[in-house]
Amino acid sequence: MIKRQKEMSEYEYAQLDKMVYQLYLVYGKGLEFDECRSIAFLKYVEVRKELHDFYNEDLLWLYSKNRIIDAFKEAQREKNRQIRLEAKLSMNQLIGESGEPVYTILFPARGNFVNYVCLWHDMRQLGKMCYTILLALYWGSEDWEIVDWLKISAQAYFNIKDFLRMKLKAYVEI
């Protein structure tokens, strides 16, 4: 005869849910709550199955708590292992014994360093406001971000931007 496990009462479910949340706050760092909740409920059911002949509620909660904590730690180890695997694809990895990162081979330096330094030196001569706007544009800021950051009017900003466009065009033609 197959012995069936009794269903979980609403009270038991609520207590388990509360315990899972408390354990998640302590041991579930870096994991999703829903993932931890499903792991915890599965572990609780496993412990309930194991203790079906010797059913002691205090023992059930202690065993299940320890199993849930171990399961959370295992989930974290698995997640960390996955991150380490992905990190092997990082562009900052060193190539063999050369000591150079991967990106230096895949994306070699282009252009002339001297020209680059001269350009920025010459652009600094245009004034602090022009230089700041040029730097912000170089780093990918949007027009509205620059206007908001520098606290200038849109009209003044676009006038400076047109002035910079003319100066850069003249600089390239030299």
Side-chain angles (χ1 to χ4, degrees):
M1 180 172 181
I2 298 174
K3 199 173 187 183
R4 292 190 70 195
Q5 188 173 358
K6 70 175 187 171
E7 289 188 25
M8 205 183 292
S9 68
E10 287 183 32
Y11 177 75
E12 186 179 10
Y13 182 85
Q15 291 301 315
L16 178 60
D17 206 28
K18 188 187 301 183
M19 182 179 80
V20 167
Y21 183 70
Q22 290 171 351
L23 291 176
Y24 169 74
L25 292 177
V26 176
Y27 299 101
K29 302 291 185 207
L31 299 172
E32 300 276 331
F33 176 68
D34 293 333
E35 177 187 4
C36 288
R37 191 167 183 261
S38 62
I39 290 170
F41 272 80
L42 288 173
K43 289 300 174 184
Y44 180 77
V45 170
E46 280 179 19
V47 171
R48 262 182 101 195
K49 247 182 207 177
E50 290 174 9
L51 298 176
H52 66 85
D53 289 334
F54 183 71
Y55 192 73
N56 178 345
E57 287 200 16
D58 294 335
L59 191 61
L60 172 69
W61 289 104
L62 287 174
Y63 276 14
S64 60
K65 179 181 176 182
N66 291 336
R67 284 275 192 77
I68 291 169
I69 290 169
D70 291 343
F72 284 177
K73 289 178 181 177
E74 182 58 35
Q76 283 178 332
R77 276 192 292 274
E78 180 61 28
K79 184 176 180 179
N80 289 341
R81 190 181 68 76
Q82 290 295 329
I83 289 172
R84 271 195 306 276
L85 286 175
E86 293 169 2
K88 289 181 180 177
L89 304 175
S90 171
M91 299 299 259
N92 289 323
Q93 273 192 66
L94 300 180
I95 302 170
E97 297 188 17
S98 70
E100 290 189 51
V102 173
Y103 65 83
T104 59
I105 303 263
L106 295 177
F107 307 105
R110 294 190 181 97
N112 186 331
F113 177 74
V114 174
N115 287 344
Y116 177 80
V117 171
C118 289
L119 168 73
W120 285 105
H121 176 73
D122 290 346
M123 291 303 116
R124 186 172 282 152
Q125 304 303 319
L126 296 176
K128 185 175 181 178
M129 182 65 76
C130 290
Y131 184 73
T132 305
I133 290 173
L134 196 59
L135 272 177
L137 289 171
Y138 178 75
W139 289 109
S141 297
E142 298 288 331
D143 290 336
W144 64 270
E145 292 173 326
I146 298 170
V147 168
D148 189 47
W149 177 53
L150 294 175
K151 307 272 191 267
I152 59 174
S153 69
Q155 183 64 39
Y157 168 74
F158 286 109
N159 287 341
I160 294 171
K161 196 172 173 183
D162 286 338
F163 172 75
L164 285 171
R165 187 175 293 124
M166 286 182 350
K167 287 295 185 180
L168 285 169
K169 187 175 180 182
Y171 186 85
V172 170
E173 290 174 356
I174 293 177

